[in-house]
PDB file of all heavy atoms in Angstrom:
ATOM      1  N   GLN C 319      11.351  -0.647  28.606  1.00 98.00           N
ATOM      2  CA  GLN C 319      10.453  -0.202  27.536  1.00 98.00           C
ATOM      3  C   GLN C 319       9.108   0.194  28.127  1.00 98.00           C
ATOM      4  O   GLN C 319       8.520   1.198  27.734  1.00 98.00           O
ATOM      5  CB  GLN C 319      10.234  -1.309  26.497  1.00 98.00           C
ATOM      6  CG  GLN C 319       9.007  -1.030  25.624  1.00 98.00           C
ATOM      7  CD  GLN C 319       8.922  -1.837  24.355  1.00 98.00           C
ATOM      8  OE1 GLN C 319       9.458  -1.457  23.325  1.00 98.00           O
ATOM      9  NE2 GLN C 319       8.234  -2.942  24.404  1.00 98.00           N
ATOM     10  N   ILE C 320       8.639  -0.583  29.075  1.00 98.00           N
ATOM     11  CA  ILE C 320       7.329  -0.294  29.652  1.00 98.00           C
ATOM     12  C   ILE C 320       7.395   0.960  30.511  1.00 98.00           C
ATOM     13  O   ILE C 320       6.507   1.807  30.464  1.00 98.00           O
ATOM     14  CB  ILE C 320       6.822  -1.525  30.419  1.00 98.00           C
ATOM     15  CG1 ILE C 320       6.471  -2.605  29.397  1.00 98.00           C
ATOM     16  CG2 ILE C 320       5.634  -1.188  31.302  1.00 98.00           C
ATOM     17  CD1 ILE C 320       6.267  -3.975  29.971  1.00 98.00           C
ATOM     18  N   LEU C 321       8.464   1.094  31.256  1.00 98.00           N
ATOM     19  CA  LEU C 321       8.637   2.322  32.037  1.00 98.00           C
ATOM     20  C   LEU C 321       8.707   3.539  31.125  1.00 98.00           C
ATOM     21  O   LEU C 321       8.260   4.624  31.475  1.00 98.00           O
ATOM     22  CB  LEU C 321       9.925   2.235  32.870  1.00 98.00           C
ATOM     23  CG  LEU C 321       9.883   1.241  34.031  1.00 98.00           C
ATOM     24  CD1 LEU C 321      11.296   0.994  34.555  1.00 98.00           C
ATOM     25  CD2 LEU C 321       8.982   1.733  35.149  1.00 98.00           C
ATOM     26  N   GLY C 322       9.285   3.358  29.959  1.00 98.00           N
ATOM     27  CA  GLY C 322       9.468   4.476  29.029  1.00 98.00           C
ATOM     28  C   GLY C 322       8.430   4.497  27.921  1.00 98.00           C
ATOM     29  O   GLY C 322       8.646   5.121  26.891  1.00 98.00           O
ATOM     30  N   ALA C 323       7.317   3.817  28.141  1.00 98.00           N
ATOM     31  CA  ALA C 323       6.287   3.756  27.101  1.00 98.00           C
ATOM     32  C   ALA C 323       5.619   5.109  26.963  1.00 98.00           C
ATOM     33  O   ALA C 323       4.848   5.505  27.818  1.00 98.00           O
ATOM     34  CB  ALA C 323       5.256   2.686  27.446  1.00 98.00           C
ATOM     35  N   SER C 324       5.925   5.802  25.908  1.00 98.00           N
ATOM     36  CA  SER C 324       5.381   7.128  25.561  1.00 98.00           C
ATOM     37  C   SER C 324       6.145   8.243  26.261  1.00 98.00           C
ATOM     38  O   SER C 324       6.672   8.081  27.350  1.00 98.00           O
ATOM     39  CB  SER C 324       3.893   7.221  25.872  1.00 98.00           C
ATOM     40  OG  SER C 324       3.302   8.206  25.055  1.00 98.00           O
ATOM     41  N   GLN C 325       6.132   9.363  25.582  1.00 98.00           N
ATOM     42  CA  GLN C 325       6.943  10.511  26.009  1.00 98.00           C
ATOM     43  C   GLN C 325       6.341  11.231  27.222  1.00 98.00           C
ATOM     44  O   GLN C 325       5.145  11.222  27.431  1.00 98.00           O
ATOM     45  CB  GLN C 325       7.109  11.480  24.838  1.00 98.00           C
ATOM     46  CG  GLN C 325       5.855  12.249  24.410  1.00 98.00           C
ATOM     47  CD  GLN C 325       4.952  11.494  23.452  1.00 98.00           C
ATOM     48  OE1 GLN C 325       5.015  10.286  23.322  1.00 98.00           O
ATOM     49  NE2 GLN C 325       4.081  12.222  22.790  1.00 98.00           N
ATOM     50  N   VAL C 326       7.197  11.872  27.956  1.00 98.00           N
ATOM     51  CA  VAL C 326       6.866  12.767  29.069  1.00 98.00           C
ATOM     52  C   VAL C 326       6.184  11.991  30.214  1.00 98.00           C
ATOM     53  O   VAL C 326       5.830  10.832  30.076  1.00 98.00           O
ATOM     54  CB  VAL C 326       6.040  13.981  28.598  1.00 98.00           C
ATOM     55  CG1 VAL C 326       6.010  15.075  29.657  1.00 98.00           C
ATOM     56  CG2 VAL C 326       6.661  14.589  27.320  1.00 98.00           C
TER      57      VAL C 326
END
Side-chain angles (χ1 to χ4, degrees):
Chain C
Q319 163 164 273
I320 290 166
L321 290 166
S324 205
Q325 70 276 19
V326 195

